[in-house]
Structure formats: structure tokens, C-alpha cells
Amino acid sequence: MIKRCIIAVIGCLLFLAAFAQETTLPVYKQFPQVPPFDIVRVPDSAHFKKADLKKRKATLVMVFSPDCDHCQHATKDMLAQTKLLKNVQVVMASNLPYAYIKKFYEDYGIAKYPGIIMGWDQNYFLGTYYQIRNFPSVYVYDKKGQLVQEFIGSVPFEKIAESL
């Protein structure tokens, strides 16, 4: 009798293990909407959240590091082609100290581009959400806030713009 119970329990466990659904998708693919971020905006230190984004407008989220050569080149490339960003809001976020981000903001003249919001992701929420492994990491969302495409590392801005 005990032997049958043990066999039945083992059988149930094997059955459950065989049919258990384990998701291996990263969070941003499980929930493909613009994430609920909160960054400290440069240069005024005001908080900027997902709720502050304009409705019915495509969004480009770029997680970067001010001291990353690839990020510097990607930013130059993007700024050289701002005409491609006419109907896009850009959120650039970094977890490095605010002073580094502010210097980057000033060095690249981001103030001249009102469609670009740059800020400090003080809790590294976006880095964790997107499971960042390389900089820059760019995520493109359509007008409905749905993920369209991701670009990791050095990617020509023209290619990113094609998905906008």
C-alpha cells in the first residue's frame, strides 16, 4: 500500500514537472508596453515618468552610459538626423551619477532638442527591466505604446529610424 502511494506521488510530481510552464522571456517582452519608469530629468532635476509622455506619439527609449564610446557615437548619429525624429519622443536614461549625465547633456547640446528627455535612472529600473548587458540599448514603441523593436549595441540610426 505504501509502495503504491509513493509511486502515485512520484507519478504526480513527474506529471506536474512535465507540464509546468516556465517563461524564459524577459519582462519587457512579457509586458511589451512602455515601462512605468521614473527618471530625474536633466537639467532641472524634475521627475519625469511614463505618465508624462505624450499620448499617441511613438517613443524611443535609450539606456546609455555617458562614458561609453558607443553611446557617444550613437548620440551624435541620432542628433545629426533629428529630422527622422519629428514625430517621436526620445527618453535617454542612465544610472550613472547625475553630474555625469548633466555634462553629457551639455556637451551634446541636448537642450536644443525639445523632443529628447534625458535623465538619471537613480534606481536602475530601466536597466533591470530590460536586462541591459550592452550600451546603448534602444527600444522603439509605436503610437499605442507597444514594443516594435529593440536594438542592442552600435546600430546605425537610420536602421533604428526605419522602425519608427
Side-chain angles (χ1 to χ4, degrees):
M1 179 73 171
I2 293 177
K3 196 175 184 179
R4 284 186 180 169
C5 286
I6 292 173
I7 290 172
V9 168
I10 291 172
C12 286
L13 291 174
L14 288 173
F15 176 81
L16 290 173
F19 290 99
Q21 292 182 354
E22 200 174 304
T23 182
T24 57
L25 287 175
V27 176
Y28 71 93
K29 289 191 177 180
Q30 292 177 45
F31 303 99
Q33 300 85 22
V34 176
F37 65 87
D38 180 1
I39 61 175
V40 178
R41 190 172 59 193
V42 175
D44 61 6
S45 299
H47 281 262
F48 188 87
K49 301 176 182 185
K50 174 185 177 179
D52 298 319
L53 290 171
K54 294 177 181 152
K55 306 292 184 229
R56 292 185 284 284
K57 193 166 187 179
T59 303
L60 184 148
V61 177
M62 178 178 173
V63 181
F64 77 106
S65 176
D67 61 357
C68 161
D69 287 337
H70 296 289
C71 299
Q72 294 166 9
H73 292 294
T75 302
K76 286 178 189 173
D77 191 21
M78 178 177 67
L79 296 178
Q81 302 177 57
T82 54
K83 64 183 177 296
L84 299 175
L85 294 173
K86 249 192 268 183
N87 299 314
V88 180
Q89 51 199 336
V90 177
V91 176
M92 294 179 69
S94 174
N95 72 316
L96 262 62
Y98 185 87
Y100 291 132
I101 303 165
K102 187 172 183 182
K103 182 173 179 349
F104 188 92
Y105 179 89
E106 292 166 352
D107 290 349
Y108 287 88
I110 302 299
K112 294 185 281 186
Y113 307 97
I116 299 176
I117 293 93
M118 185 175 286
W120 176 38
D121 184 6
Q122 60 188 354
N123 297 317
Y124 201 52
F125 170 77
L126 291 171
T128 304
Y129 183 84
Y130 290 120
Q131 298 178 351
I132 300 295
R133 303 230 187 305
N134 296 303
F135 292 118
S137 292
V138 177
Y139 302 86
V140 176
Y141 294 87
D142 65 16
K143 293 176 183 181
K144 295 178 183 175
Q146 296 296 308
L147 182 66
V148 174
Q149 197 164 358
E150 63 185 280
F151 300 92
I152 310 300
S154 295
V155 177
F157 190 71
E158 295 88 18
K159 184 170 180 165
I160 294 171
E162 289 173 7
S163 66
L164 294 169

